Amino acid sequence: MTTENIRTYDVIVIGAGPVGENVADRTIAAGLSTVIVESELAGGECSYWACEPSKALLRPVLLRADAVHVPGLDPAVKGPLDAEAVLAHRNRMSADWKDDGQVEWIKSAGIDLLRGHGRLAGEREVSVETPEGDIVRLRARHAVAVCTGSRAALPPLPGIEHLRPWTSREATSAQRPPRRLVIVGAGVVGVEMATAWQALGSRVTLLARGDGLLPRMEPFAGELVTERLREAGADVRFNVSVVGAERVGGGEVRVTLSDAGEVTADEILFAIGRAPRSEDIGLGAVGLEPGGWLATDDSLTVAAVPGHWLYAVGDVNRRALFTHQGKYQARVAGSVIAARARGEQLDTGRWARHSSTADVEAVPGVVFTDPEVASVGLTVREAERAGRDVEVVDYEIGHLAGAVQYRPDYRGRARILVDRGRQVVVGATFVGPGVGELLYSATVAITGEVPVERLWHAVPAFPTISEVWLRLLEMRRDS
């Protein structure tokens, strides 16, 4: 029998991924009673099907790629990876898809957790259908934060429901390498999974609709990643798309391509983008279109809903689809909710406490391929579109003593963009082994708007790869 009860909190959070957990952590710290509603695993996509498992798959691959070129280590690491051991490590890093640890943290933080499917039911109201079939009505005194994230998008191919394709979830949780894997998509998920599964023994075919990989980044990033993937044995094809695909006799996948070619594989992974998890969360009850992205202002408030009570934080608002950026938004949103609850005026200026300015000006990201790609701020293409007058400064990272110490055959490239008028860095891209650790320095330079003349006084230690900053500044001075 279905029962119904009503509970009241200061704040209701829909979604217990890293974003929802951080919103709740900030509102609890502000003294606001908070409940999180979660329909799957507490910890969300990042913990079980994205960041954690994918990096667990990739870390052995990248470590081996470096070690095989280091004198003294090379004979010991030239054999194939132990796929079984790598996958077992991935399982541990994904907590074997159990959320006990996350639930324990939520409770220890003083946050209530309600299992079930949450739907908006009106102003400051959420209806939750529990796994037992009961209905719990939640009412918020101050705010409801939608933190439901995103899911993998699938193409409108005829018969796709019978194809049983992989998405990012299957690609990060598979328990054995497929003998042949076709990956459709040239973005981060596509290139990372190509890197991982090729190294674990799959024969990978990567299909890109455009003329390069990682199309949103500087072109040289995709070029270097393409070169290495091909050296590793992957078949990388450009300017081609899938026009049809079917499972033959329930087994292998036969893929028909736009150039009239055909590829046969054991599995097909579609890595063509993300879609919002908003199709069944009650958006119609508050006048919004179900299934759409939730647009917000810089305070993460859903502008289309009056009353300043509804917030959309993380992927679902489409501002910047990264876990770390969603957690940043959560910290901002938590501060906004607390300020409004106390009747305080918001400080929403550029880089202010209640404004998620970094979503627009300084979004950092790392692609964990061989070589790694790290970027923050503008690319040349984005600067041109925005009409920004920038100086472009490039440097070959492999010329650094620190890079050669890291890997004797080091190849990589660094680029910074300097605003000519303001004389500050507005974009940076690094490609090469280990460059992910350079990214925070670039992010600080951009968010802090450090004048390039002051950057001269930030001395990099020798011999490290961070000395690339000095070389970039020298290249700019000499030009």
Side-chain angles (χ1 to χ4, degrees):
M1 183 178 72
T2 300
T3 60
E4 182 174 331
N5 61 62
I6 300 173
R7 306 177 194 175
T8 301
Y9 291 86
D10 291 323
V11 180
I12 302 167
V13 178
I14 305 177
V19 175
E21 288 179 340
N22 273 268
V23 171
D25 185 49
R26 292 296 83 214
T27 55
I28 281 286
L32 302 174
S33 61
T34 303
V35 61
I36 295 183
V37 180
E38 177 53 57
S39 60
E40 289 189 287
L41 296 176
E45 198 81 8
C46 176
S47 298
Y48 308 104
W49 302 287
C51 317
E52 294 286 3
S54 66
K55 302 319 168 273
L57 290 173
L58 286 159
R59 176 58 182 155
V61 177
L62 302 186
L63 185 60
R64 177 179 176 274
D66 290 337
V68 77
H69 296 281
V70 176
L73 284 175
D74 46 333
V77 293
K78 281 189 174 176
L81 287 172
D82 183 339
E84 185 176 344
V86 172
L87 294 174
H89 168 64
R90 185 276 319 274
N91 292 351
R92 288 191 296 272
M93 292 302 295
S94 303
D96 291 310
W97 293 274
K98 298 175 183 176
D99 65 0
D100 300 17
Q102 297 281 347
V103 170
E104 183 179 348
W105 177 85
I106 290 171
K107 291 180 178 177
S108 71
I111 305 163
D112 284 357
L113 173 65
L114 179 58
R115 301 273 193 183
H117 190 106
R119 297 177 179 88
L120 295 166
E123 183 173 343
R124 293 184 176 86
E125 290 195 0
V126 174
S127 175
V128 182
E129 182 180 353
T130 71
E132 296 75 29
D134 296 328
I135 301 296
V136 179
R137 296 277 181 183
L138 300 176
R139 290 177 178 166
R141 297 184 186 93
H142 299 293
V144 176
V146 176
C147 307
T148 50
S150 65
R151 56 177 172 77
L154 288 172
L157 281 177
I160 195 169
E161 63 276 10
H162 305 298
L163 185 60
R164 303 191 308 276
W166 277 13
T167 66
S168 52
R169 283 199 169 196
E170 290 76 19
T172 55
S173 63
Q175 293 299 315
R176 64 178 182 274
R179 188 166 62 90
R180 299 161 300 175
L181 173 64
V182 171
I183 300 176
V184 184
V188 175
V189 173
V191 297
E192 286 192 346
M193 290 300 94
T195 300
W197 289 110
Q198 179 70 37
L200 290 170
S202 299
R203 191 163 75 246
V204 170
T205 301
L206 179 59
L207 306 175
R209 187 170 56 182
D211 58 4
L213 301 183
L214 301 172
R216 295 186 180 181
M217 296 184 169
E218 299 286 11
F220 63 82
E223 291 165 7
L224 287 167
V225 171
T226 299
E227 180 181 303
R228 185 66 193 100
L229 279 172
R230 285 174 169 165
E231 288 175 359
D235 179 4
V236 182
R237 305 187 192 183
F238 297 121
N239 300 306
V240 65
S241 58
V242 174
V243 296
E246 62 175 341
R247 285 231 179 235
V248 181
E252 66 181 20
V253 178
R254 187 175 297 154
V255 184
T256 305
L257 305 177
S258 56
D259 62 2
E262 189 174 279
V263 180
T264 303
D266 300 284
E267 302 292 350
I268 183 170
L269 162 62
F270 286 106
I272 60 172
R274 307 291 295 177
R277 289 184 180 274
S278 64
E279 64 277 5
D280 189 20
I281 59 170
L283 293 185
V286 294
L288 300 176
E289 186 69 28
W293 302 97
L294 295 180
T296 72
D297 59 22
D298 285 351
S299 71
L300 290 316
T301 308
V302 178
V305 176
H308 298 137
W309 62 271
L310 184 62
Y311 298 80
V313 193
D315 277 14
V316 74
N317 63 31
R318 207 184 192 180
R319 290 173 66 89
L321 277 66
F322 292 98
T323 295
H324 49 268
Q325 209 67 24
K327 291 163 72 173
Y328 160 73
Q329 292 176 14
R331 296 191 293 272
V332 173
S335 295
V336 170
I337 292 168
R340 282 180 170 151
R342 292 191 290 260
E344 298 172 358
Q345 185 173 354
L346 297 186
D347 181 4
T348 56
R350 187 167 172 269
W351 300 117
R353 178 183 178 131
H354 301 130
S355 181
S356 54
T357 309
D359 285 344
V360 178
E361 300 203 26
V363 177
V366 179
V367 187
F368 292 86
T369 45
D370 175 25
E372 284 184 353
V373 181
S375 67
V376 61
L378 297 174
T379 63
V380 171
R381 186 184 301 113
E382 289 166 343
E384 290 173 346
R385 285 179 188 158
R388 299 283 290 271
D389 184 14
V390 296
E391 299 176 61
V392 181
V393 188
D394 290 343
Y395 188 77
E396 169 56 52
I397 303 177
H399 292 163
L400 298 169
V404 177
Q405 291 281 8
Y406 189 96
R407 181 163 157 173
D409 68 337
Y410 197 107
R411 289 190 61 219
R413 188 170 171 185
R415 169 173 290 176
I416 59 171
L417 276 59
V418 178
D419 185 294
R420 290 185 192 275
R422 295 164 54 218
Q423 291 295 291
V424 296
V425 178
V426 292
T429 299
F430 307 101
V431 183
V435 296
E437 298 304 329
L438 289 174
L439 191 57
Y440 189 67
S441 59
T443 305
V444 170
I446 293 173
T447 59
E449 299 178 335
V450 183
V452 288
E453 290 302 319
R454 177 61 62 86
L455 282 178
W456 273 104
H457 298 281
V459 181
F462 179 87
T464 65
I465 298 175
S466 63
E467 198 179 16
V468 71
W469 279 103
L470 173 59
R471 302 304 172 209
L472 286 164
L473 293 172
E474 287 178 335
M475 291 285 291
R476 176 178 174 273
R477 176 199 62 195
D478 295 343
S479 64

